């Protein structure tokens, strides 16, 4: 999947800083967190989960699934779970 489209919005300074802090706490940039949130909203999984699933499917078609072992939680899922566990508060 080629990422070619840009999404952006305007926020007040406090909200932007809170979002940037949330992204930092999750170990990613604000852009990465926003992308994961959009993918989660639209597809029910983060971008990283989507990519990993696509790769597993491709390897499965080639009979090489032993090369990838699914983990309990991808780093992106962990980022969102950290955010969700805080109930939106920073």
């Amino acid at each position: 999947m080629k990422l070619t489209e840009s999404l952006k919005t305007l926020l007040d300074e406090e909200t932007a800083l809170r979002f940037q802090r949330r992204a930092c706490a999750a170990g990613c940039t604000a852009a990465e967190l926003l992308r994961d949130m959009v993918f989660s909203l639209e597809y029910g999984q983060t971008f990283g989960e989507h990519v990993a699933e696509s790769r597993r499917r491709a390897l499965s078609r080639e009979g090489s699934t032993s090369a990838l072992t699914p983990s309990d939680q991808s780093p992106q899922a962990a980022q969102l779970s950290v955010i969700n566990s805080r109930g939106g508060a920073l």
Side-chain angles (χ1 to χ4, degrees), residues 12-81:
D12 62 275
E13 185 177 6
E14 181 181 347
T15 303
L17 287 172
R18 289 174 60 93
F19 190 78
Q20 290 168 352
R21 280 190 220 120
R22 183 181 302 263
C24 185
C28 63
T29 66
E32 291 166 333
L33 180 58
L34 182 58
R35 180 178 53 221
D36 276 348
M37 292 175 69
V38 169
F39 265 77
S40 184
L41 178 66
E42 292 301 322
Y43 302 109
Q45 60 189 24
T46 65
F47 176 70
E49 292 167 334
H50 177 78
V51 169
E53 184 178 303
S54 295
R55 288 179 182 165
R56 279 192 293 273
R57 279 195 306 263
L59 289 173
S60 175
R61 286 191 298 267
E62 295 175 13
S64 302
T65 55
S66 62
L68 283 181
T69 55
S71 63
D72 292 337
Q73 200 174 42
S74 72
Q76 290 80 8
Q79 291 169 2
L80 289 177
S81 68

